[in-house]
Amino acid sequence: MTDGSGAENVLFVVLDTVRKDHLGPYGHDRPTTPTLDRFADGPETVVFENAVAPAPWTLPVHASLFTGLYPSGHGADQENPYLDGATTLAQTLSRTGHDTACYSSNAWITPYTRLTDGFDDQDNFFQVMPGDLLSGPLAKAWQALNDDDRLRAIADKLVSLGNTAHEYLAGGEGSDSKTPAVIDRTQEFVARSDQGWFVFVNLMDAHLPYHPPDKYAAEFAPDVDSAAVCQNSKAYNSGARAVNDTEWQEIRALYDAEIAHMDAELGRLFDWLRETGRWEETMVVVCADHGELHGEHDLYGHEFGIYDPLVNVPLMVKHPDVEPGRDDETPVELVDLYHTVLDATGTEGQGKPLDPNRSLLSADYRDIDLGDHAFVEYHRPVVELNQLESKAAEAGIDLSADSRFYSRMRAARRTDAKYVRNERITDEAYRLDRDPRELKDVAGEGGDAIEETETALAAFEKRVGGEWDEVGGGEDVLDGMGAEAKARLRDLGYV
């Protein structure tokens, strides 16, 4: 644990949907991240090679960051898009004297999902309805409205309106307006604080659709028309839209341009913290919540799989108690950042208690049961299924109920091996030390590394309630949701 001489302030930055291989500190050959390059080389920064997200999409990952619980523990997923019954990191830090703020344009990080509970200040930027409208007690009323079948249509129409506006503003010239606003609000909040502070920001530039500002498009994607390339992952995944190698290159170029814009804005914040004398007293965490697939495994986006480009995420931490440099060996779980922040601020969790052996600041980090493995959970993807089925139907394509599209998934991953439990298709296994791109499935071929990882996954499954329950056919996945509720989830700006 920290000796109490560490940082009293915490800046926690999530680069939404960012693959680590598109960042300079992880070897990308394009100059997308000069800010993060400098940050990674800092005298108090460690760069982790084997950080693993607990899920491949925003809502459950952020719920895990805020509670220290795995997705099966906090229950926030697409079937239940609320974080209920858990005390969050922000609630704990607010009660113990920190000023807390959350700024994001991600449609899942809102009072509606309860992820912003506990923050003294928050803004969602994308909403037609101001974030303050659904904060505090009104958030509970909003949930009650949604959970009442008779009243849910009213809430559905309101959220659909807000998110339709979000989708409009996310394209073209409106696309570069949110991250600067997030950075501005962060600076304003920190400047007002006269005590320790915890600021959480989620930057959405690298999330589909990719419409980078002209300056960065000209540098990284010259002559690429963002309106012409495939920007709908469901169209591709359903088989309704083909993408050739040239178009994938154009998509990746736009993605790089978005990352470069985000990096430049982050540099503006980092420079301001240095100029105002706050940098040295601030712990900084930079990570992605998940990555993105650009055609690998015949998938686009971040659904229907838990391959490494989705869950092996970038993570860099600045704090005087870390061993600076690169760490290529330690298995890190993003759920442990909850304990790391508690440790750095000298705070005991008021929800899940601080576990020193899960803090990245501890000399005994990962001295826990199954500590050489990280675990991933992917629950039934109702949002993606609804859109996927629509795209497939429009193209006259039949989707098999016994496919990965309808499969829940879990994985155990250690630095050399990975085992994936699939609900509706055969399990998968990969020797990551020999096959980092996960091209050769070695499930059923034996070997100590794979067998030990499968055993670890079975132990994890037993701990969280066993393997998947028996479920019906794919046509039953969305049963219990009204048409307007389905439309609301489809309209959410996250997809």
Side-chain angles (χ1 to χ4, degrees):
M1 293 182 65
T2 177
D3 61 7
S5 62
E8 63 175 12
N9 306 318
V10 179
L11 174 64
F12 198 132
V13 179
V14 170
L15 308 176
D16 205 291
T17 324
V18 169
R19 296 168 57 127
K20 70 178 191 179
D21 60 358
H22 280 251
L23 306 181
Y26 291 93
H28 193 32
D29 58 3
R30 305 189 78 192
T32 52
T33 56
T35 295
L36 291 180
D37 295 349
R38 178 185 176 190
F39 176 67
D41 289 338
E44 295 183 344
T45 301
V46 58
V47 178
F48 291 102
E49 181 66 35
N50 286 287
V52 177
W57 69 286
T58 292
L59 178 61
V61 174
H62 283 74
S64 291
L65 292 174
F66 292 168
T67 66
L69 301 171
Y70 291 102
S72 55
H74 57 64
D77 57 36
Q78 289 181 9
E79 296 174 285
N80 178 59
Y82 310 114
L83 177 61
D84 277 331
T87 301
T88 66
L89 190 59
Q91 288 171 321
T92 293
L93 293 175
S94 291
R95 293 168 185 169
T96 56
H98 279 74
D99 291 330
T100 60
C102 177
Y103 302 121
S104 169
S105 61
N106 190 306
W108 291 106
I109 307 172
T110 66
Y112 169 73
T113 60
R114 310 290 298 277
L115 283 183
T116 58
D117 283 6
F119 286 101
D120 300 324
D121 191 39
Q122 64 88 26
D123 202 325
N124 313 121
F125 295 97
F126 77 94
Q127 294 176 309
V128 170
M129 294 177 291
D132 291 345
L133 179 63
L134 297 179
S135 61
L138 283 180
K140 296 180 180 179
W142 180 251
Q143 180 175 343
L145 185 69
N146 279 274
D147 289 341
D148 188 315
D149 290 336
R150 298 168 299 171
L151 301 176
R152 186 162 51 199
I154 300 172
D156 293 340
K157 290 182 185 300
L158 289 171
V159 175
S160 180
L161 173 64
N163 285 287
T164 298
H166 163 60
E167 290 184 350
Y168 173 78
L169 293 170
E173 291 305 310
S175 65
D176 64 343
S177 64
K178 299 174 192 63
T179 289
V182 169
I183 299 304
D184 290 345
R185 282 292 295 274
T186 299
Q187 291 178 354
E188 293 165 5
F189 179 84
V190 169
R192 292 195 308 267
S193 178
D194 58 2
Q195 57 188 2
W197 49 263
F198 169 62
V199 176
F200 183 92
V201 300
N202 173 291
L203 306 180
M204 282 285 286
D205 303 67
H207 196 291
L208 282 167
Y210 308 141
H211 298 294
D214 290 345
K215 173 183 176 181
Y216 300 95
E219 180 178 358
F220 291 92
D223 303 320
V224 177
D225 183 354
S226 66
V229 301
C230 181
Q231 297 269 17
N232 190 306
S233 61
K234 312 306 180 294
Y236 175 82
N237 291 332
S238 67
R241 171 73 154 83
V243 178
N244 61 30
D245 289 345
T246 298
E247 189 172 5
W248 281 126
Q249 291 175 359
E250 292 175 338
I251 289 169
R252 293 175 189 130
L254 292 169
Y255 183 72
D256 277 344
E258 294 281 25
I259 291 173
H261 173 231
M262 188 161 40
D263 180 83
E265 287 298 312
L266 196 58
R268 184 162 66 88
L269 176 58
F270 286 2
D271 288 345
W272 180 82
L273 289 171
R274 293 185 182 101
E275 292 164 3
T276 58
R278 294 177 170 93
W279 183 254
E280 295 301 324
E281 61 190 32
T282 300
M283 175 186 182
V284 181
V285 177
V286 178
C287 68
D289 54 347
H290 56 81
E292 189 85 333
L293 290 170
H294 289 141
E296 300 91 344
H297 306 283
D298 294 321
L299 293 171
Y300 186 14
H302 45 270
E303 55 265 0
F304 312 126
I306 48 179
Y307 295 106
D308 261 19
L310 297 179
V311 298
N312 179 205
V313 295
L315 172 63
M316 291 165 269
V317 178
K318 168 193 166 294
H319 190 276
D321 289 350
V322 301
E323 183 69 30
R326 298 196 63 85
D327 186 326
D328 296 330
E329 302 297 329
T330 305
V332 177
E333 294 187 281
L334 291 193
V335 294
D336 296 340
L337 294 175
Y338 167 89
H339 300 276
T340 304
V341 172
L342 289 177
D343 193 6
T345 56
T347 307
E348 289 292 334
Q350 295 183 0
K352 188 175 181 63
L354 167 66
D355 183 345
N357 291 352
R358 280 187 173 271
S359 168
L360 289 166
L361 310 183
S362 171
D364 296 320
Y365 178 63
R366 301 300 291 181
D367 185 12
I368 57 175
D369 187 32
L370 303 176
D372 55 349
H373 290 82
F375 300 97
V376 184
E377 299 184 285
Y378 184 43
H379 292 266
R380 190 174 288 119
V382 294
V383 177
E384 286 83 358
L385 279 171
N386 190 37
Q387 294 195 9
L388 186 84
E389 290 168 342
S390 295
K391 291 297 180 183
E394 291 170 5
I397 296 170
D398 292 325
L399 299 176
S400 171
D402 293 321
S403 69
R404 69 170 47 256
F405 303 130
Y406 297 93
S407 184
R408 294 178 288 185
M409 303 173 185
R410 284 195 180 116
R413 184 193 187 278
R414 68 185 197 187
T415 58
D416 63 340
K418 182 177 180 181
Y419 194 92
V420 181
R421 182 93 66 212
N422 291 309
E423 180 185 30
R424 292 176 177 269
I425 59 177
T426 57
D427 291 354
E428 301 168 75
Y430 302 96
R431 281 299 302 266
L432 300 177
D433 53 345
R434 306 170 184 170
D435 178 28
R437 296 172 61 194
E438 298 166 293
L439 299 177
K440 178 176 173 54
D441 181 2
V442 294
E445 295 185 10
D448 290 345
I450 296 301
E451 291 177 358
E452 290 166 5
T453 305
E454 182 182 9
T455 298
L457 179 58
F460 174 79
E461 288 174 320
K462 183 177 180 180
R463 182 181 300 171
V464 300
E467 293 185 19
W468 305 119
D469 296 331
E470 191 68 25
V471 297
E475 67 277 9
D476 296 327
V477 170
L478 295 178
D479 279 2
M481 275 193 171
E484 289 289 339
K486 295 176 186 177
R488 179 193 69 215
L489 290 174
R490 183 179 65 248
D491 287 342
L492 281 170
Y494 179 74
V495 294

